[in-house]
Amino acid sequence: MIEYVLMREDHLEQIAEIEQQCFSDPWSLRSITSELSNPLSLWVVAEENGKVAGYVGSQSVLGEADMMNLAVAPSFRRQGIGRKLVQELVRRLNEKGNHILVLEVRASNEPAILLYEELGFAQVGRRPNYYAHPKEDALILRKEWLD
């Protein structure tokens, strides 16, 4: 059974491996590790029997959070884990007094854009050439909620 927990030190190496599998510009283990001691950060991990299935990371300032990373390990995809991670992140951010979540997504990533729209995000902007490998625009999506 998948559990959704806050990121811990024993998750770090598995998260770094998933970063390598999922992204053309993955975060380093050092960068991920630094999030554990960052008071602005909130990372939620989906785990099953100690195995990281996916994760989502954010940083918050003055009630607004920026979602930085969302990834699901290839062997755990198509099970709704990505959706649940975002929902759990929003729940936990709300508990901390946040009411806005913003993210960037590749303009070509139609499955992710559809998921975010289903979760209540709306496009509020575009960042030209935001991604480098390959070069591509990012769509800026935003979700607001009340308690």
Side-chain angles (χ1 to χ4, degrees):
M1 182 169 131
I2 302 283
E3 292 183 85
Y4 296 85
V5 299
L6 294 177
M7 182 172 69
R8 301 183 308 262
E9 191 170 337
D10 62 309
H11 294 136
L12 297 174
E13 288 190 19
Q14 292 181 69
I15 289 171
E17 287 176 30
I18 295 169
E19 280 281 311
Q20 293 290 327
Q21 295 169 351
C22 295
F23 298 113
S24 59
D25 284 320
W27 281 36
S28 67
L29 176 59
R30 183 177 180 176
S31 294
I32 298 163
T33 300
S34 72
E35 292 296 293
L36 277 177
S37 60
N38 184 340
L40 304 177
S41 293
L42 175 66
W43 285 55
V44 177
V45 174
E47 68 174 356
E48 183 176 60
N49 299 321
K51 184 165 176 64
V52 173
Y55 56 90
V56 62
S58 70
Q59 289 186 355
S60 302
V61 177
L62 300 174
E64 183 172 320
D66 181 28
M67 191 168 92
M68 300 171 301
N69 299 46
L70 170 64
V72 176
S75 61
F76 284 93
R77 291 187 181 153
R78 314 271 327 142
Q79 298 178 40
I81 294 169
R83 175 183 305 274
K84 180 66 175 163
L85 279 164
V86 175
Q87 291 170 328
E88 185 65 16
L89 178 65
V90 168
R91 185 185 74 74
R92 289 174 184 256
L93 287 169
N94 186 58
E95 288 176 352
K96 292 183 165 283
N98 293 283
H99 299 286
I100 299 168
L101 180 58
V102 178
L103 62 90
E104 291 90 10
V105 61
R106 283 186 180 272
S108 65
N109 191 344
E110 292 178 18
I113 294 166
L114 180 61
L115 170 66
Y116 295 135
E117 288 174 349
E118 289 173 357
L119 290 170
F121 287 83
Q123 183 177 340
V124 295
R126 187 178 194 104
R127 295 190 199 283
N129 300 317
Y130 180 78
Y131 296 102
H133 302 106
K135 187 166 269 206
E136 185 173 357
D137 291 358
L139 302 182
I140 304 167
L141 305 181
R142 177 183 169 109
K143 175 182 176 76
E144 286 188 53
W145 64 90
L146 300 174
D147 283 337

